[in-house]
Amino acid sequence: MAPYRVFEEYNIEITDEIKDKYKEVITELGEDVQREGLVKTPERAAKAMQFLTSGYNSDPVEILKGAMFAEDYNDMVIIKDIELYSLCEHHMLPFFGKAHVAYIPNGHIVGLSKIPRVVDVFARRLQVQERLTHDILECLHQTLKPKGVAVVIEAAHMCMMMRGVQKQNSTTTTSGFRGQFEKVETRTEFLNLISANLH
């Protein structure tokens, strides 16, 4: 039996258009696009950029609705340490880190894999960390209609590390809370749990 494989598909016409633009940029930077190491770079970059912004082609609401189940569970559900990779919309340089997401069901739970998928959909767009946090929070809040939602994102930004202030060890934390997580005790429980080393 053949192993499970993931296939990436690209629109040839769009890829060619982006590839041509990358050729122009590389040439304007003073490089030779015919040099051996760069011959295939415009096409690779075109495909990479389409993958890194593929979130524009996915509907996070439909992802959640496709895996919602009626369940009488009323306690906190936490998915922590969700890896995320995104592009800063200001310089189109990466920022990366972890998202911690929790919700308190209100008659429905959602398949656990769907929350990381929602994080990926919003991360794979040109973003700022503050809006990324808000997008994930509001999508879960509006779609699941839970008793509460919490999102915390910790990320390092290459635009701060490679250029500008060049602070290699700085990280940025953003958070958002709705419903029961606006209560101090619930929010504190969540923050303690994502900080604990439970495994």
Side-chain angles (χ1 to χ4, degrees):
M1 179 183 258
Y4 175 79
R5 290 179 181 159
V6 177
F7 294 95
E8 293 180 11
E9 293 184 14
Y10 298 95
N11 180 305
I12 295 172
E13 188 175 318
I14 292 173
T15 301
D16 284 344
E17 288 180 12
I18 299 172
K19 177 177 73 174
D20 289 342
K21 290 177 173 60
Y22 269 112
K23 281 184 179 177
E24 291 178 22
V25 170
I26 291 169
T27 300
E28 288 295 328
L29 292 173
E31 262 289 3
D32 176 10
V33 290
Q34 300 305 317
R35 185 164 64 76
E36 181 182 11
L38 289 174
V39 169
K40 293 186 178 180
T41 296
E43 182 177 354
R44 291 191 197 102
K47 289 179 177 178
M49 189 56 67
Q50 287 176 84
F51 175 78
L52 294 171
T53 58
S54 60
Y56 291 117
N57 302 318
S58 298
D59 184 346
V61 172
E62 290 306 311
I63 289 170
L64 292 174
K65 285 184 175 179
M68 287 176 63
F69 309 100
E71 191 67 45
D72 186 25
Y73 181 84
N74 299 305
D75 293 307
M76 194 182 302
V77 178
I78 301 174
I79 303 175
K80 70 177 194 175
D81 296 333
I82 303 168
E83 292 181 19
L84 69 85
Y85 303 90
S86 191
L87 290 176
C88 166
E89 67 181 33
H90 299 143
H91 302 98
M92 293 178 69
L93 288 172
F95 67 92
F96 55 92
K98 293 180 179 179
H100 313 288
V101 179
Y103 73 102
I104 300 172
N106 188 19
H108 288 87
I109 61 170
V110 67
L112 294 178
S113 68
K114 303 309 175 187
I115 290 178
R117 282 193 63 195
V118 167
V119 171
D120 279 347
V121 166
F122 286 118
R124 289 177 184 163
R125 301 177 180 185
L126 299 181
Q127 278 287 11
V128 294
Q129 185 175 330
E130 296 87 344
R131 186 172 64 244
L132 176 59
T133 306
H134 179 267
D135 286 346
I136 297 165
L137 182 76
E138 287 303 317
C139 179
L140 294 169
H141 180 63
Q142 298 295 332
T143 309
L144 299 182
K145 303 194 184 313
K147 295 177 181 176
V149 185
V151 177
V152 170
I153 293 178
E154 306 168 274
H157 292 249
M158 297 306 285
C159 59
M160 287 181 65
M161 298 165 73
M162 293 178 66
R163 61 169 306 286
V165 294
Q166 298 181 48
K167 299 301 179 188
Q168 282 76 30
N169 297 312
S170 65
T171 58
T172 300
T173 301
T174 49
S175 63
F177 306 98
R178 294 287 182 274
Q180 289 189 10
F181 285 97
E182 294 176 273
K183 297 178 181 177
V184 173
E185 59 271 24
T186 310
R187 186 163 65 244
T188 301
E189 179 185 353
F190 165 67
L191 294 172
N192 285 341
L193 285 169
I194 65 172
S195 301
N197 185 10
L198 300 176
H199 39 99

